[in-house]
Amino acid sequence: MEGFFDMGLEEGIFKKAVDDAIGNELQEHIVVIDEINRGNISKIFGELLSLIEADKRSEEWKTSLPYNKESFFIPPNLTIIGMMNSADKSISIVDYALRRRFGFIEIPPAITNPEFLQFLKECGLSNKLSKHIVKTVSELNNTISKDQQLGDDFAIGHSFFMSYEEETDEKTEIANFLGLFTGNVRRCL
């Protein structure tokens, strides 16, 4: 049965990004980790967590990888972006060590952004329906923001509408919007 289970070790995405950044020091490199708060940070980064810190981004702080003893450090031209949904309950358990190593930037919903209105129109929605969606969701977000049990973290973002399929029939557009609203938005409230 030799070769039946080939459990060979392969370098992961992060290691490849580090190697690319080291190989091209003049260019900025970016790694995006979506929903970073859902993972076990100590298992994901292990001893390398301290190497994320800005003052440890050099070859001076290199360490050996446990699986192959290869020298490893995170170069200063590699930016790590960890994204979190602040409405998610798991954000409260984000490790303090992780909080120290990342800056936090709030990105509010883009419902009132003119580009979102244009996106809805490009999806085949009429101007009237597009404006109605923006107005209705904006009003709902204002209500959510004022609610003491919810607040800004529960505002409805533009991503709820990003999978809208192109339709030409106005009744179908309205039905799709209502279905989208009840399916995606209502369950979050």
Side-chain angles (χ1 to χ4, degrees), residues 51-91:
L51 299 182
I52 292 172
E53 296 176 25
D55 64 339
K56 295 180 178 69
R57 296 292 196 93
S58 69
E59 198 166 355
E60 173 187 346
W61 288 92
K62 69 183 174 189
T63 188
S64 295
L65 294 174
Y67 60 89
N68 65 5
K69 307 301 181 216
E70 182 182 324
S71 178
F72 183 84
F73 69 97
I74 300 174
N77 64 325
L78 178 66
T79 300
I80 303 167
I81 299 173
M83 299 191 319
M84 295 188 276
N85 179 348
S86 58
D88 190 332
K89 301 291 185 226
S90 66
I91 194 169

Side-chain angles (χ1 to χ4, degrees), residues 9-27:
L9 187 63
E10 291 185 26
E11 291 182 351
I13 295 170
F14 186 69
K15 173 70 167 67
K16 291 175 183 175
V18 167
D19 290 344
D20 288 347
I22 291 170
N24 189 351
E25 295 176 7
L26 299 177
Q27 183 177 352

Side-chain angles (χ1 to χ4, degrees), residues 72-173:
F72 183 84
F73 69 97
I74 300 174
N77 64 325
L78 178 66
T79 300
I80 303 167
I81 299 173
M83 299 191 319
M84 295 188 276
N85 179 348
S86 58
D88 190 332
K89 301 291 185 226
S90 66
I91 194 169
S92 61
I93 60 170
V94 172
D95 190 273
Y96 180 71
L98 185 66
R99 290 179 186 268
R100 285 191 354 232
R101 289 167 175 90
F102 284 88
F104 289 83
I105 301 169
E106 186 175 336
I107 303 173
I111 294 292
T112 58
N113 186 317
E115 291 177 15
F116 178 66
L117 184 63
Q118 184 60 36
F119 167 79
L120 292 175
K121 291 177 189 176
E122 288 172 5
C123 286
L125 275 70
S126 68
N127 187 48
K128 182 179 176 181
L129 181 58
S130 298
K131 286 182 177 182
H132 179 71
I133 289 171
V134 169
K135 181 181 180 286
T136 304
V137 176
S138 295
E139 289 172 357
L140 181 57
N141 279 343
N142 287 334
T143 302
I144 291 169
S145 290
K146 292 174 186 173
D147 187 298
Q148 291 182 352
Q149 292 182 331
L150 296 174
D152 290 336
D153 288 342
F154 286 85
I156 298 161
H158 56 280
S159 62
F160 281 103
F161 302 92
M162 300 308 280
S163 64
Y164 196 92
E165 295 180 20
E166 185 175 334
E167 296 287 344
T168 54
D169 179 287
E170 186 80 9
K171 284 185 178 181
T172 305
E173 291 175 11

